[in-house]
Amino acid sequence: MATGRTHRPATRSRGIPEATVARLPLYLRALTALSERSVPTVSSEELAAAAGVNSAKLRKDFSYLGSYGTRGVGYDVEYLVYQISRELGLTQDWPVVIVGIGNLGAALANYGGFASRGFRVAALIDADPAMAGKPVAGIPVQHTDELEKIISDNGVSIGVIATPAGAAQQVCERLVAAGVTSILNFAPTVLSVPDGVDVRKVDLSIELQILAFHEQRKAGEESEADAALPPVGAPGAGSATAAAVATGSGVSAAAPAAAPAAAGATTAAPAAAAGTGTGAGAAAAASAGAGRKGPDGDVPAVMPA
């Protein structure tokens, strides 16, 4: 079986934009779900919605792969799965080492999605001598002293760093010196690497901070909206509320402003009984109710039509 050391994806040489490359896994995930449901074809609109992208952008991305679909039929799901998998280099075996087998490293080792997507966890490595030999996800942990030999013996070109921040750079340098050319970094620090080495950073705390920013923004917008409303009992507050209610009932917002006084309410009541229209009847009923009190002696704000 081919290994990651001798095979590299050809996306850059073919001129596929990095933004398109970043979206290909999204398409593949959506297509794999369709394939598992035995869906034979999918339209660009359906696939774009499943992947969370714009359909025009999807068609543009697929044009870089030389795939244009069939008008009136769509895209062949199985062929697209193969085409994208081949472009991403997932039709071959990619041995991976995970360095740092704490809580996060152990969770990554137990993640079942690696094998199904073309990645084989070749080794688990940790600096703690007490961890050596202990099985995690069925794989015995090896000491960092063996790192270079492990990488050489398994032809590893992808390394995953899940160490504390203080140890990440040193581990990175050892991985690169041993021949690793792609690194997935979970440590909360920025790694310095030479040209030719690709680093993808996953920082959960940063993602949470971004979500916190959006939550704060939404809360601020709600506070501004609440502050824009007149306080209860302020001049105009009652008429604004009545106008909103009346408008929702099909009554003109201007109707409450023109409502007759209590003294003239009796002349408006017959109009409601006459059934001169839903809007008119509701306005008249509301006017008639202005002179009546509720069971507790309060004047109801709105009477039913």
Side-chain angles (χ1 to χ4, degrees):
M1 181 178 288
T3 64
R5 176 61 58 83
T6 57
H7 293 76
R8 300 286 292 171
T11 53
R12 289 176 181 170
S13 62
R14 292 181 53 180
I16 299 180
E18 286 295 326
T20 296
V21 174
R23 287 190 289 269
L24 291 182
L26 303 179
Y27 302 141
L28 182 59
R29 181 175 60 188
L31 287 163
T32 300
L34 292 172
S35 177
E36 290 172 350
R37 303 204 314 265
S38 300
V39 176
T41 59
V42 63
S43 69
S44 59
E45 288 78 11
E46 292 170 334
L47 183 54
V53 302
N54 179 276
S55 60
K57 185 176 294 183
L58 176 143
R59 289 189 290 270
K60 179 68 173 177
D61 289 341
F62 284 178
S63 71
Y64 291 111
L65 307 181
S67 183
Y68 296 92
T70 303
R71 183 177 294 277
V73 177
Y75 295 93
D76 183 286
V77 171
E78 291 298 333
Y79 179 68
L80 262 186
V81 168
Y82 165 75
Q83 197 174 22
I84 295 177
S85 296
R86 181 186 62 185
E87 199 64 48
L88 290 173
L90 303 182
T91 55
Q92 60 203 39
D93 176 51
W94 292 99
V96 175
V97 296
I98 300 176
V99 185
I101 313 302
N103 291 333
L104 178 56
L108 293 172
N110 280 283
Y111 174 56
F114 286 134
S116 63
R117 288 165 173 80
F119 301 95
R120 173 174 58 87
V121 178
L124 305 178
I125 304 173
D126 197 272
D128 184 0
M131 290 289 296
K134 290 187 176 180
V136 175
I139 303 173
V141 176
Q142 301 181 65
H143 194 265
T144 50
D145 290 345
E146 305 295 322
L147 186 148
E148 287 78 9
K149 184 177 185 300
I150 293 169
I151 291 173
S152 176
D153 290 348
N154 291 275
V156 175
S157 60
I158 299 178
V160 178
I161 296 178
T163 66
Q169 182 61 46
Q170 182 182 7
V171 168
C172 173
E173 292 171 0
R174 288 184 63 185
L175 288 172
V176 172
V180 168
T181 52
S182 293
I183 294 174
L184 180 60
N185 178 33
F186 283 90
T189 187
V190 177
L191 299 177
S192 175
V193 297
D195 292 339
V197 177
D198 295 312
V199 176
R200 299 287 296 180
K201 180 172 176 53
V202 181
D203 194 321
L204 302 180
S205 63
I206 287 179
E207 300 303 323
L208 287 172
Q209 289 167 15
I210 293 172
L211 289 176
F213 166 82
H214 290 296
E215 285 299 312
Q216 179 176 259
R217 176 68 59 88
K218 286 183 286 188
E221 291 174 351
E222 292 175 359
S223 298
E224 291 176 0
D226 292 342
L229 294 175
V232 178
S239 60
T241 304
V245 173
T247 303
S249 307
V251 183
S252 168
T266 53
T267 61
T276 55
T278 303
S287 300
R292 298 198 301 271
K293 293 190 176 182
D296 296 328
D298 298 325
V299 178
V302 179
M303 291 297 294

